[in-house]
């Protein structure tokens, strides 16, 4: 191994959940002088509270390239990323392009790099909900079938990739960089003043997030789900609701009809949000990443979706996949369906290092 070899790797991010995952690679990069990491931001998320705040808190370097695509329909957003990303790749040379997770930017960047013959690594590869009505499932399939290196977070990913014919030597079980970031920042999370600011005691509230189109893109359905939640969450608990911009837009003034135990706040910075997760009595969510963070924290989580692409959070972790069966919440709280909660293999804070090692081997340096 020679430190003279300098391989250029472009890490592509686009939206909030990508940032926690990329942070771990930048944190560990000093140990790998042979690898030169650059950052490209597609600009899919752009509001300060959805974007800049995470760069500050997680000490992610400013992007070397910003495509500034913003919001749009799926086709528009994907096409804009592709057109602008192609220009970057044509003007620069990279040995490896890394795409993360399952957002529109993930699929778009993978497609452009693959067509230009640049090797692609997919971080968080192999997850499957088997539900193509979710845009994320389509993005996962595209990225995985174009990638040359598959970085897997949980055992189900190994099975899915093998079943889909991906060669075993392209697949590396590396663990979870989102959990690396959580472990690295536990002290910052413990010091967050958010509970005091909101006048909350630990365990006196539940934290809820909803942003999936299937749950929030129809105002009446969303409001009736929130009313049902109000009916099943024990009455002594407040409901803290850090609402995604898309959910805020849909609810508008209707949130006021829900009464004072709902504490609606905007998207939260990372440390505040994780403090609200860690100190809640339990979590209600339709997010992907929060299922993993609650699993690591062994915090009871109810996922309001019919399926999960992260089955280990249910088989080993603290996640209960209840979809719209909200009546299960009091039953689980009363001790029915009790399970022991364990932290999945390799969710140990070292995934970033394993990934950079995998890059080194892939690039022969
Ligand atoms: C995207 C991802 C989803 C991920 C989520 C995390 C896709 C298909 N979806 O969904 O997998 O879980 O990010 O948040 O890629 N908006 C703002 N400010 C922003 C970004 C968005 O106000 O910085 C608003 C816009 O009105 C936009 C809407 O939110 O139209 C939705 O944003 P978009 O990027 O299309 O998808 P997300 O719902 O955020």
């Amino acid at each position: 191994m020679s430190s003279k070899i300098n391989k250029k790797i472009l890490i592509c991010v686009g939206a909030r959940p990508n940032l926690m995952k990329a942070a771990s690679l930048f944190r560990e990069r000093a140990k790998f002088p042979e690898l030169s990491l650059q950052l490209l931001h597609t600009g899919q998320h752009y509001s300060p509270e959805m974007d800049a705040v995470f760069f500050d808190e997680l000490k992610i370097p400013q992007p070397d390239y910003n495509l500034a695509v913003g919001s749009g329909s799926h086709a528009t957003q994907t096409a804009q990323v592709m057109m602008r990303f192609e220009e970057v790749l044509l003007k620069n040379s990279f040995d490896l392009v890394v795409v993360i997770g399952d957002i529109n930017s993930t699929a778009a960047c993978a497609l452009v790099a693959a067509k230009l013959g640049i090797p692609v690594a997919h971080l968080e590869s192999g997850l499957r909900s088997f539900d193509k009505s979710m845009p994320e499932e389509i993005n996962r399939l595209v990225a995985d079938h174009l990638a040359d290196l598959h970085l897997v977070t949980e055992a189900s990913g190994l099975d899915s990739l093998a079943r889909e014919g991906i060669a075993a030597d392209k697949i590396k079980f590396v663990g979870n960089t989102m959990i690396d970031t959580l472990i690295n920042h536990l002290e910052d999370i413990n010091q967050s003043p958010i509970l005091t600011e909101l006048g909350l005691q630990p365990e006196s509230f539940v934290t809820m997030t909803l942003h999936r189109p299937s749950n929030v893109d129809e105002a009446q359905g969303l409001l009736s789900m929130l009313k049902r939640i109000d009916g099943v969450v024990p009455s002594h608990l407040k409901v803290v609701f850090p609402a995604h911009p898309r959910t805020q837009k849909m609810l508008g003034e209707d949130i006021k009809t829900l009464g004072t135990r709902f504490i609606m706040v905007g998207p939260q910075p990372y440390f505040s949000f994780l403090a609200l997760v860690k100190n809640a009595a339990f979590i209600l969510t339709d997010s992907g990443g929060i299922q993993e963070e609650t699993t690591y924290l062994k915090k009871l989580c109810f996922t309001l979706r019919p399926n999960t692409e992260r089955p280990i959070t249910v088989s080993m972790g603290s996640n209960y996949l209840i979809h719209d069966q909200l009546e299960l919440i009091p039953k689980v709280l009363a001790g029915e369906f009790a399970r022991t909660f364990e932290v999945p293999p390799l969710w140990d804070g070292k995934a970033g290092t394993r990934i950079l090692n995998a890059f080194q081997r892939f690039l022969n340096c």
Side-chain angles (χ1 to χ4, degrees):
M1 196 184 301
S2 158
S3 59
K4 288 198 188 105
I5 299 171
N6 200 277
K7 297 285 186 179
K8 278 180 77 183
I9 300 178
L10 185 62
I11 315 280
C12 302
V13 296
R16 184 169 61 175
N18 284 173
L19 303 177
M20 298 87 187
K21 295 165 196 165
S24 167
L25 303 183
F26 286 98
R27 192 184 155 96
E28 303 300 332
R29 70 170 161 182
K31 295 183 206 152
F32 295 83
E34 305 83 354
L35 303 179
S36 153
L37 261 54
Q38 290 203 317
L39 183 63
L40 177 135
H41 194 337
T42 66
Q44 179 174 340
H45 282 178
Y46 46 84
S47 303
E49 73 276 15
M50 297 290 285
D51 187 49
V53 67
F54 298 95
F55 280 82
D56 291 347
E57 287 189 322
L58 305 179
K59 301 193 171 56
I60 303 170
Q62 283 309 302
D64 300 282
Y65 310 91
N66 195 327
L67 306 183
V69 297
S71 303
S73 71
H74 285 269
T76 306
Q77 199 172 52
T78 306
Q80 290 291 345
V81 173
M82 287 183 67
M83 288 160 65
R84 296 179 197 189
F85 188 43
E86 187 178 50
E87 282 178 33
V88 172
L89 290 188
L90 288 174
K91 284 193 197 132
N92 299 275
S93 80
F94 294 100
D95 298 293
L96 181 66
V97 163
V98 182
V99 298
I100 305 179
D102 55 18
I103 63 169
N104 287 343
S105 303
T106 311
C109 291
L111 197 47
V112 175
K115 288 217 169 180
L116 290 174
I118 303 167
V120 175
H122 184 203
L123 194 159
E124 203 181 81
S125 178
L127 297 181
R128 295 287 181 271
S129 66
F130 305 102
D131 175 1
K132 282 196 196 154
S133 72
M134 290 177 72
E136 291 82 359
E137 183 73 355
I138 295 169
N139 295 334
R140 287 180 204 114
L141 287 165
V142 170
D144 274 342
H145 284 266
L146 296 174
D148 304 281
L149 177 61
H150 299 259
L151 304 160
V152 174
T153 53
E154 63 162 85
S156 73
L158 303 173
D159 299 340
S160 293
L161 293 172
R163 211 175 31 246
E164 291 173 25
I166 308 290
D169 62 349
K170 292 177 161 187
I171 304 171
K172 306 287 172 223
F173 183 24
V174 290
N176 192 323
T177 55
M178 185 169 235
I179 301 304
D180 289 2
T181 297
L182 175 54
I183 293 172
N184 284 328
H185 290 284
L186 276 175
E187 201 42 49
D188 297 311
I189 292 162
N190 289 338
Q191 284 172 11
S192 163
I194 187 71
L195 266 66
T196 317
E197 284 169 18
L198 295 177
L200 296 166
Q201 297 298 319
E203 309 280 326
S204 71
F205 62 95
V206 305
T207 296
M208 174 171 76
T209 78
L210 293 172
H211 76 283
R212 293 269 156 225
S214 56
N215 279 333
V216 307
D217 276 3
E218 201 271 303
Q220 273 320 306
L222 173 59
L223 200 59
S224 91
M225 176 150 82
L226 293 175
K227 288 192 171 151
R228 288 181 61 217
I229 287 170
D230 200 12
V232 291
V233 170
S235 57
H236 66 284
L237 298 173
K238 301 263 188 204
V239 181
V240 180
F241 188 12
H244 186 284
R246 130 183 248 139
T247 315
Q248 282 179 325
K249 244 187 240 168
M250 192 49 67
L251 265 180
E253 293 292 297
D254 284 344
I255 189 73
K256 293 189 182 142
T257 63
L258 289 167
T260 53
R261 82 146 143 170
F262 280 79
I263 303 176
M264 178 105 159
V265 290
Q268 290 297 298
Y270 184 74
F271 302 153
S272 309
F273 182 72
L274 265 298
L276 289 170
V277 169
K278 198 163 174 274
N279 291 291
F282 59 88
I283 308 301
L284 294 163
T285 193
D286 61 5
S287 148
I290 296 169
Q291 298 172 49
E292 297 185 337
E293 289 162 333
T294 48
T295 283
Y296 181 79
L297 295 168
K298 300 189 177 176
K299 178 66 64 179
L300 184 59
C301 176
F302 294 100
T303 296
L304 310 179
R305 285 176 41 191
N307 50 52
T308 179
E309 62 286 345
R310 294 162 160 87
I312 203 149
T313 62
V314 176
S315 60
M316 279 188 88
S318 53
N319 186 20
Y320 284 76
L321 192 62
I322 63 167
H323 189 204
D324 54 2
Q325 291 178 280
L326 300 178
E327 63 281 3
L328 289 174
I329 294 175
K331 291 186 180 171
V332 173
L333 295 178
E336 276 186 59
F337 315 111
R339 312 189 300 252
T340 49
F341 302 152
E342 287 172 66
V343 175
L346 303 191
W347 291 20
D348 57 1
K350 298 177 187 149
T353 305
R354 289 189 198 98
I355 289 170
L356 293 170
N357 267 316
F359 290 165
Q360 251 184 351
R361 283 194 297 273
F362 182 83
L363 296 167
N364 292 317
C365 63

